[in-house]
Amino acid sequence: MIPGKYRSVSGRATNNVNCGLHLVIQTSSLPEKNKVEFKLHKETPSFPGRLLQHDLERNYSSRQGEHINLVSSSMPSFPILQRSSEEKILYSDRLTLERQKLTVCPIIDGEEHLRLLNFQHNFITRIQNISNLQKLIFLDLYDNQIEEISGLCTLRSLRVLLLGKNRIKKISNLENLKSLDVLDLHGNQITTIENVNHLCDLRVLNLARNLLSHVDNLNGLDSLTELNLRHNQITFVRDVDNLPSLQRLFLSFNNISTFESVCCLADSTSLSDITFDGNPIAQESWYRHTVLQNMMQLRQLDMKRITEEERRMASVIAKKEEEKKRESHKQSLLKEKKRLTINNVARKWDLQQQRVTNIATNQDGKDSDSPSQDPCQVDGSTISAFPEETGSLDSGLSNALQGLSVTDTYLVEVDGDTLSLYGSGALESLDRNWSVQTAGMVTTVSFTFIEFDEIVQVLPKLKIKFPNSLHLKFKETNLVMLQQFNALAQLRRIDQLTVDPQGNPVVSFTLWKYYVLFRLSHFSMQKINGTEVTQNDMIMAERLFGILAHVASSELPQYRLISILGDARKKQFRYLLESKGKKPGIVNEENNDSKRLAGENTNRATLNYTTRDFYNEKLEEIKEKKKFCKTYIEDLVKEATEINMKNEALQKLWPQMFIELVRDAVIEIRNKNSYMKLCLQKITDQK
Amino acid sequence: MATEGAGNLASGSWRVELGSCAGQRMLSSERLALPDYEYLAQRHVLTYMEDAVCQLLENKEDISQYGIARFFTEYFNSVCQGTHILFREFSFIQATPHNRASFLRAFWRCFRTVGKNGDLLTMKEYHCLLQLLCPDFPLELTQKAARIVLMDDAMDCLMSFSDFLLAFQIQFYYSEFLESVAAIYQDLLSGKNPNAVIVPTSSSGQHRQRPTLGEAGMLEGVEASLFSQCLENLCDRHKYSCPPLALVKEVLSNVQRLTFYGFLVALSKHHGINQALGALPDKGDLMHDPAMDEELERLVVRSRLHRTSRQHRAEEPGAFGFQRRDKLEAPERVPSASATTPYPYRWEPRE
């Protein structure tokens, strides 16, 4: 406490003030004294009785006390102070009332010329009765019991105000003290710095031993050169870079633990002396060089002069650290970029899903009750999965990221043996020329935020480019139907399949695993969603779906087999067709072998998956054909029925016609002779 | 050639669709009454002829290799067997009653094992199974069927296979009929008599009627006898297939009042209707299909062998590919191959 008080007073600035004060007193002592004396003479007659009535407090032990009569006035119960005239002449502009056990400020009468007033070490609770001392320059109320700053609004020329060791809770009522030079508020109970922004001439501010938790709101203090904040509970410092003249800042014994919380200090150009001792930060190994590196203008740190050598060391260490930081920054930048990209992809995916479900709802049209729940569900799950984590970013990083435009709609990442694809755009990367090594190394391919139908289209590419991929992962791929798994059968091999329930409703089905095992049984899969596949699982799968496969393969008419199986498979299936064409029972071994060449159970190949778009296209095509067939058959049938009708009509007519014909013939040949003649005539005519 | 096919078909199709001596009578009498073309259209012969030509067009290269006559034989044979609807588009599957019945039967045969296993599934999962057989099967129909089972609430509840199948049968086979019934039911519920001719001036009389109906509304549903009357009317003029009227009346005669879903549940549980429809066995025999079970056992044994042999091979270093299978399986294939005879089963609608 004592250093607090005396530091401010013994500082260079304070010395100057004292000198200045002294000077003023010397030069203006004579005329002032005359004036005061004149005033005194004028006013004494008005209080003659009171002076004698109340001399309760007498014989003060102060330096000047012997010559002062302090008298309490009756009405307001304030003591009234009067000095002897010699006293007044001797100390015309100063009055010291140290250790007078005063509980209130006495009324100081006839001393309007006073420039210095000292109330140190009393028990004053309220600043009163000094508003008439308008010449006052120096007011010392150190070690009293003042609870509020008040009663100072008329003291416009006050330059030094010492209120140390009081009970002040709030800085206030300093509005008119525009020329204040030194303000000492140490040892009070102040919690925030406020109402000081107008003190543009203030050079020394002492707030040591208060209850400050942070420092800010300092703008306007343009002349402040020394700021004492020792022994508070400060955790962070702001605004110090707004103090253009600040040279000395004392932050010892506070609660500062990171350099980031005081980083504004680095921006101050005037600061030359600073203390941090007694803070957690001072215990850190990086403390000294970090401070030095960040505050090049500093000449003293914790009362120790900074040597050139020290500065050099600091800069070397800082450089190293900077490099390290830059590296990690780069790393985290990349990581952040990845995260943002994934978020971006996720957002797009959500939008797309919303749209898809909306379309579905529209299509469903009439029964709007059940599908309407779906969008919300989709929404909820994805939001919870991608919480905004910007809070965890340090400020520097986020600044850097703002410059980084994250418009990427997809992400491709190869990490060890895993190829991760985010967003449908990522599928195009399969067209890239992957190095043989990379391609060979990849055994796990993970798809996220990609429509399964789109994945299906690139599966043949995947098979070629990443021949060793054994483990497929699907997350947010909109797997909704069992039949979609059919598409995976075309791959070369799958050992493991992981389908994340998120964004893949199919996983909620009890049968999906068995269906996968059944349909992809030719891969002899080891694991599904991380669980080992057992022999029993396989048998169960066969029991559940074996008949489907059997029906599909054995009961499908040939022409359907052909149309269902793609061109690529036709060759393999010619064998099957041939064997089917042959009589049953004589299927020989050769045939069996060739069937197995197909790689997968032939009876399962008919269970395939065409993507929705493609299927719709096909349906369109079929519709066209149907239209044609309809008219064609219509024409044919009409023609046929017409012919049939004519035929029937003819059949009806024919017997009658025949009879008529015969009758005509009979009539003609009834007269044999004349008929013979006629015939002969004809023959001769011909010749 | 097409007319020739039509001739074949006509006889094939009556067997499938009518399948009774009454059909025979109808054949002679109706054939005389209707012009040929209408007759063929009404008997759905044209549908199949069109589809046959369509299929032919689709695979003309391949089919021309093994003979167009062969193709038509196979096509119409598969129509008779009911295997023609496997993996076909929905518009075709629902085109004729025979196709619908065939689809129902195919669904039952293929997924009977699921029900046998005792799994209870959700509506969505059943829908997935349906989509395995018909990729564009509409969700709406499955939802409606599920509504019958679950009595219109709690749509994501689990259902047993047989419950779903029987409800689905009614919904799918009689879907147009049910729509009309629903309309009638709504009319009855709101106090209109769909049979009565509504004269605009009689609206005041309707208004008077409503409060009493509101009281009656406390008892749920509509009065069975009135409903039955309306349905009789409907069956007479309905051009789509309806359940036999006698059976519908039987269903309605057991109760005083009933709700729409109550009616549907009763229909779906009525074994006479199931029999008349003829696609599925009786409810008690739904899990029963010895021929297929036998086949399945064979398949399971084979898959087990297949897997063990594969694992065995995988452990052998240097053995690669699928070049050669163990002969063990060969004898086993023979009987199963005999099961893959061109026409392994025939089912005829019940009489």
Side-chain angles (χ1 to χ4, degrees):
Chain A
M1 189 198 78
I2 290 162
K5 197 224 164 190
Y6 283 97
R7 183 168 305 288
S8 67
V9 179
S10 67
R12 223 180 304 153
T14 328
N15 286 345
N16 290 346
V17 173
N18 284 347
C19 287
L21 200 67
H22 204 60
L23 209 71
V24 171
I25 292 165
Q26 274 182 342
T27 49
S28 62
S29 62
L30 271 167
E32 291 271 334
K33 191 177 73 184
N34 293 338
K35 227 190 260 173
V36 172
E37 273 176 344
F38 170 70
K39 265 188 192 165
L40 258 171
H41 285 294
K42 259 180 97 180
E43 286 178 26
T44 27
S46 55
F47 304 104
R50 278 174 210 165
L51 286 171
L52 297 165
Q53 277 173 354
H54 308 278
D55 49 349
L56 300 170
E57 296 171 55
R58 271 166 276 179
N59 303 321
Y60 298 112
S61 61
S62 80
R63 213 161 16 108
Q64 298 162 336
E66 298 134 51
H67 318 282
I68 293 168
N69 292 319
L70 202 60
V71 183
S72 296
S73 68
S74 64
M75 279 164 60
S77 79
F78 286 121
I80 297 172
L81 179 126
Q82 260 185 338
R83 296 197 287 181
S84 63
S85 48
E86 317 95 73
E87 191 83 17
K88 273 186 201 166
I89 292 161
L90 198 57
Y91 304 105
S92 64
D93 51 3
R94 58 178 63 193
L95 175 59
T96 303
L97 293 168
E98 258 184 63
R99 300 183 202 275
Q100 299 293 316
K101 300 192 178 136
L102 289 173
T103 55
V104 290
C105 295
I107 295 171
I108 302 167
D109 220 6
E111 302 268 6
E112 282 79 9
H113 57 282
L114 266 189
R115 298 185 159 231
L116 190 149
L117 181 58
N118 186 346
F119 282 121
Q120 276 193 26
H121 304 291
N122 283 294
F123 306 100
I124 296 166
T125 54
R126 200 175 150 85
I127 310 170
Q128 284 166 314
N129 304 328
I130 54 167
S131 50
N132 56 332
L133 306 175
Q134 291 188 3
K135 296 270 164 26
L136 210 59
I137 288 175
F138 189 108
L139 176 60
D140 188 349
L141 284 158
Y142 172 70
D143 193 16
N144 277 287
Q145 294 173 3
I146 295 162
E147 285 176 1
E148 191 194 7
I149 306 174
S150 61
L152 299 172
C153 50
T154 54
L155 309 179
R156 289 174 192 277
S157 39
L158 197 67
R159 301 190 61 188
V160 179
L161 177 58
L162 305 179
L163 286 165
K165 212 176 169 201
N166 274 290
R167 295 170 185 176
I168 296 164
K169 294 195 169 66
K170 197 170 175 241
I171 307 174
S172 59
N173 297 322
L174 298 173
E175 285 73 24
N176 293 332
L177 308 183
K178 297 232 169 74
S179 34
L180 210 58
D181 199 274
V182 176
L183 178 58
D184 181 8
L185 286 164
H186 83 271
N188 279 291
Q189 295 154 24
I190 294 162
T191 52
T192 47
I193 302 175
E194 57 193 337
N195 303 321
V196 293
N197 310 67
H198 60 289
L199 302 173
C200 54
D201 288 332
L202 193 71
R203 283 197 285 179
V204 177
L205 177 58
N206 187 349
L207 284 165
R209 294 188 191 271
N210 273 291
L211 304 170
L212 296 173
S213 62
H214 63 274
V215 178
D216 69 357
N217 198 14
L218 291 172
N219 48 314
L221 298 172
D222 291 345
S223 309
L224 197 68
T225 51
E226 182 180 306
L227 179 57
N228 189 342
L229 295 163
R230 293 158 55 101
H231 291 284
N232 276 286
Q233 292 142 26
I234 294 165
T235 51
F236 65 90
V237 176
R238 270 192 231 138
D239 236 15
V240 170
D241 44 334
N242 290 332
L243 301 172
S245 314
L246 188 71
Q247 292 174 4
R248 289 173 300 282
L249 175 62
F250 306 107
L251 282 163
S252 315
F253 301 102
N254 273 294
N255 206 9
I256 295 162
S257 54
T258 61
F259 187 75
E260 278 73 39
S261 55
V262 294
C263 62
C264 67
L265 301 180
D267 299 327
S268 168
T269 48
S270 53
L271 210 56
S272 64
D273 190 349
I274 196 164
T275 64
F276 278 120
D277 52 311
N279 276 290
I281 190 177
Q283 307 291 318
E284 305 285 349
S285 58
W286 44 262
Y287 159 65
R288 219 174 150 77
H289 65 81
T290 308
V291 173
L292 290 186
Q293 187 55 34
N294 282 289
M295 301 173 69
M296 296 302 282
Q297 72 280 22
L298 224 53
R299 269 185 254 147
Q300 265 195 332
L301 175 59
D302 294 336
M303 316 300 281
K304 269 184 246 163
R305 259 203 101 65
I306 295 157
T307 61
E308 274 310 299
E309 179 62 25
E310 206 174 359
R311 207 175 273 286
R312 239 193 326 273
M313 281 290 288
S315 82
V316 168
I317 293 171
K319 226 171 257 169
K320 267 187 206 159
E321 215 133 277
E322 188 66 21
E323 247 159 64
K324 223 192 271 171
K325 207 170 159 189
R326 208 174 298 147
E327 190 55 35
S328 76
H329 186 80
K330 218 161 131 192
Q331 288 276 324
S332 50
L333 204 69
L334 271 176
K335 231 186 236 170
E336 184 57 18
K337 191 182 172 184
K338 180 183 157 189
R339 194 186 68 82
L340 284 179
T341 310
I342 291 174
N343 263 0
N344 198 25
V345 173
R347 210 166 303 130
K348 266 195 99 175
W349 170 257
D350 282 353
L351 282 176
Q352 197 183 331
Q353 289 308 298
Q354 199 100 13
R355 206 192 57 220
V356 167
T357 32
N358 280 346
I359 289 170
T361 330
N362 291 342
Q363 276 177 347
D364 280 353
K366 289 156 213 158
D367 51 325
S368 53
D369 39 0
S370 60
S372 62
Q373 295 165 353
D374 290 355
C376 320
Q377 264 179 353
V378 168
D379 236 18
S381 64
T382 38
I383 282 170
S384 63
F386 288 93
E388 289 299 319
E389 294 165 45
T390 34
S392 66
L393 281 172
D394 49 288
S395 54
L397 191 59
S398 59
N399 284 343
L401 276 166
Q402 278 168 3
L404 195 146
S405 66
V406 189
T407 50
D408 297 334
T409 53
Y410 66 92
L411 183 74
V412 183
E413 188 190 35
V414 181
D415 180 17
D417 61 352
T418 308
L419 171 71
S420 307
L421 305 170
Y422 297 88
S424 63
L427 294 176
E428 281 162 31
S429 69
L430 289 172
D431 290 328
R432 266 189 238 164
N433 286 323
W434 294 87
S435 72
V436 181
Q437 209 180 356
T438 321
M441 239 163 54
V442 169
T443 58
T444 305
V445 183
S446 122
F447 301 93
T448 317
F449 302 120
I450 311 176
E451 199 74 37
F452 186 79
D453 281 8
E454 288 178 62
I455 299 171
V456 169
Q457 284 157 27
V458 299
L459 284 178
K461 278 185 219 159
L462 186 75
K463 187 171 153 182
I464 296 164
K465 297 269 178 167
F466 298 98
N468 292 336
S469 55
L470 294 173
H471 184 180
L472 292 186
K473 285 182 179 174
F474 297 96
K475 185 176 177 185
E476 295 278 7
T477 53
N478 224 358
L479 262 165
V480 288
M481 295 180 285
L482 296 178
Q483 53 169 335
Q484 285 176 310
F485 289 113
N486 292 349
L488 299 179
Q490 58 177 297
L491 288 170
R492 187 165 295 153
R493 218 180 136 194
I494 305 176
D495 265 5
Q496 279 195 51
L497 183 70
T498 307
V499 184
D500 197 294
Q502 202 177 311
N504 294 313
V506 78
V507 179
S508 63
F509 295 165
T510 43
L511 294 176
W512 81 274
K513 257 185 208 181
Y514 293 119
Y515 188 77
V516 169
L517 284 175
F518 152 75
R519 186 60 190 87
L520 307 179
S521 66
H522 57 291
F523 293 139
S524 299
M525 284 209 285
Q526 309 294 313
K527 274 183 182 177
I528 293 185
N529 273 11
T531 341
E532 205 81 38
V533 172
T534 64
Q535 175 84 17
N536 282 343
D537 288 337
M538 292 302 287
I539 289 170
M540 191 65 206
E542 192 66 32
R543 276 196 189 285
L544 285 172
F545 294 104
I547 288 183
L548 173 69
H550 176 71
V551 166
S553 63
S554 64
E555 296 181 3
L556 212 57
Q558 254 188 64
Y559 68 93
R560 292 283 299 143
L561 268 182
I562 294 169
S563 75
I564 286 175
L565 306 169
D567 287 296
R569 298 195 171 261
K570 270 182 198 161
K571 248 180 220 165
Q572 298 167 351
F573 280 85
R574 194 111 324 142
Y575 293 108
L576 183 72
L577 295 177
E578 275 164 18
S579 73
K580 253 189 130 181
K582 281 174 194 171
K583 277 192 178 172
I586 51 165
V587 181
N588 54 25
E589 230 173 88
E590 196 191 327
N591 256 331
N592 274 332
D593 268 4
S594 57
K595 266 192 218 171
R596 292 203 191 109
L597 272 173
E600 64 174 287
N601 260 343
T602 47
N603 62 5
R604 256 142 249 211
T606 45
L607 299 170
N608 54 16
Y609 176 65
T610 42
T611 62
R612 189 151 291 184
D613 294 341
F614 187 70
Y615 190 78
N616 288 340
E617 230 167 78
K618 213 174 105 190
L619 284 183
E620 252 345 270
E621 219 172 273
I622 287 174
K623 221 184 243 171
E624 294 275 294
K625 271 187 193 145
K626 257 197 179 147
K627 222 192 226 165
F628 166 76
C629 290
K630 199 174 160 82
T631 48
Y632 177 68
I633 291 286
E634 208 172 293
D635 291 348
L636 269 185
V637 171
K638 270 193 182 140
E639 202 176 312
T641 49
E642 224 165 84
I643 289 169
N644 192 30
M645 226 162 67
K646 286 176 189 164
N647 198 20
E648 267 174 29
L650 182 67
Q651 289 295 332
K652 258 185 219 161
L653 274 177
W654 180 244
Q656 189 61 33
M657 275 168 69
F658 188 74
I659 289 167
E660 297 280 318
L661 281 174
V662 169
R663 202 182 63 155
D664 284 357
V666 169
I667 289 169
E668 204 175 4
I669 60 168
R670 197 164 48 180
N671 192 332
K672 218 184 261 175
N673 287 335
S674 62
Y675 185 67
M676 272 162 62
K677 257 183 213 164
L678 197 70
C679 288
L680 282 171
Q681 187 72 44
K682 268 185 194 162
I683 291 163
T684 47
D685 282 356
Q686 272 171 4
K687 282 183 180 175
Chain B
M1 184 201 65
T3 34
E4 200 181 304
N8 285 346
L9 238 165
S11 58
S13 91
W14 74 254
R15 195 178 61 204
V16 168
E17 249 127 71
L18 309 167
S20 65
C21 49
Q24 188 83 50
R25 233 187 303 119
M26 265 165 74
L27 178 71
S28 46
S29 60
E30 263 181 52
R31 186 161 190 192
L32 292 174
L34 281 172
D36 293 356
Y37 185 80
E38 267 95 286
Y39 173 76
L40 291 176
Q42 196 205 25
R43 297 286 125 210
H44 302 292
V45 178
L46 291 180
T47 313
Y48 292 111
M49 280 163 67
E50 277 161 25
D51 187 57
V53 175
C54 218
Q55 294 291 319
L56 178 60
L57 273 180
E58 201 144 306
N59 310 291
K60 40 183 182 241
E61 288 91 11
D62 295 287
I63 288 169
S64 60
Q65 271 177 23
Y66 74 86
I68 286 166
R70 180 80 218 139
F71 162 74
F72 276 109
T73 317
E74 232 176 69
Y75 179 85
F76 290 113
N77 264 325
S78 77
V79 169
C80 291
Q81 291 158 32
T83 55
H84 61 305
I85 43 75
L86 290 170
F87 312 115
R88 288 297 301 271
E89 62 277 5
F90 180 72
S91 58
F92 179 68
I93 285 176
Q94 61 142 21
T96 71
H98 172 62
N99 285 2
R100 292 184 190 195
S102 306
F103 183 74
L104 282 168
R105 191 168 171 82
F107 181 72
W108 166 68
R109 293 178 72 225
C110 288
F111 299 113
R112 180 182 52 92
T113 43
V114 173
K116 209 174 170 186
N117 191 39
D119 286 329
L120 300 176
L121 307 180
T122 60
M123 182 273 291
K124 284 206 173 138
E125 200 155 6
Y126 281 116
H127 183 66
C128 259
L129 294 182
L130 287 167
Q131 280 190 323
L132 284 176
L133 289 179
C134 167
D136 61 340
F137 200 89
L139 184 64
E140 203 187 343
L141 263 181
T142 324
Q143 276 172 340
K144 281 182 176 171
R147 234 167 255 164
I148 298 177
V149 180
L150 304 170
M151 294 295 271
D152 203 18
D153 50 32
M155 283 304 279
D156 29 351
C157 276
L158 297 169
M159 297 171 265
S160 80
F161 181 75
S162 56
D163 282 348
F164 175 78
L165 183 62
L166 289 173
F168 175 71
Q169 165 172 261
I170 296 292
Q171 179 60 53
F172 179 55
Y173 195 84
Y174 296 123
S175 111
E176 292 83 2
F177 171 74
L178 291 191
E179 254 163 59
S180 310
V181 171
I184 287 174
Y185 179 80
Q186 281 309 321
D187 281 352
L188 282 178
L189 213 56
S190 62
K192 279 185 269 178
N193 186 346
N195 286 343
V197 183
I198 296 168
V199 186
T201 49
S202 73
S203 61
S204 56
Q206 270 183 8
H207 278 300
R208 237 179 293 122
Q209 250 183 330
R210 255 176 209 161
T212 55
L213 267 160
E215 284 160 33
M218 309 300 261
L219 321 158
E220 246 180 338
V222 297
E223 208 180 313
S225 58
L226 188 63
F227 194 43
S228 161
Q229 223 171 27
C230 297
L231 291 190
E232 192 174 343
N233 214 325
L234 175 70
C235 287
D236 283 345
R237 58 190 158 83
H238 208 268
K239 59 182 168 154
Y240 296 100
S241 34
C242 330
L245 190 59
L247 296 174
V248 173
K249 278 188 167 166
E250 192 188 313
V251 166
L252 290 171
S253 66
N254 294 336
V255 285
Q256 279 288 308
R257 303 187 66 83
L258 82 175
T259 60
F260 181 59
Y261 282 104
F263 174 61
L264 296 192
V265 170
L267 276 190
S268 69
K269 297 218 164 125
H270 196 282
H271 85 117
I273 288 174
N274 183 27
Q275 265 180 350
L277 207 153
L280 305 176
D282 288 340
K283 194 180 178 189
D285 291 336
L286 266 185
M287 297 304 155
H288 205 60
D289 191 1
M292 269 299 160
D293 280 340
E294 203 177 307
E295 185 61 40
L296 183 61
E297 278 316 311
R298 252 196 302 269
L299 288 168
V300 168
V301 170
R302 196 181 350 141
S303 87
R304 196 177 304 182
L305 278 173
H306 175 80
R307 190 170 166 82
T308 46
S309 73
R310 246 170 170 266
Q311 280 172 342
H312 186 59
R313 204 166 341 100
E315 282 155 22
E316 269 173 42
F320 61 93
F322 317 93
Q323 292 304 325
R324 202 91 203 139
R325 293 285 163 100
D326 4 14
K327 299 270 164 67
L328 246 172
E329 287 179 54
E332 218 150 342
R333 282 292 291 175
V334 179
S336 77
S338 70
T340 55
T341 47
Y343 316 116
Y345 89 105
R346 253 170 216 283
W347 61 277
E348 309 263 325
R350 283 146 210 266
E351 311 197 354

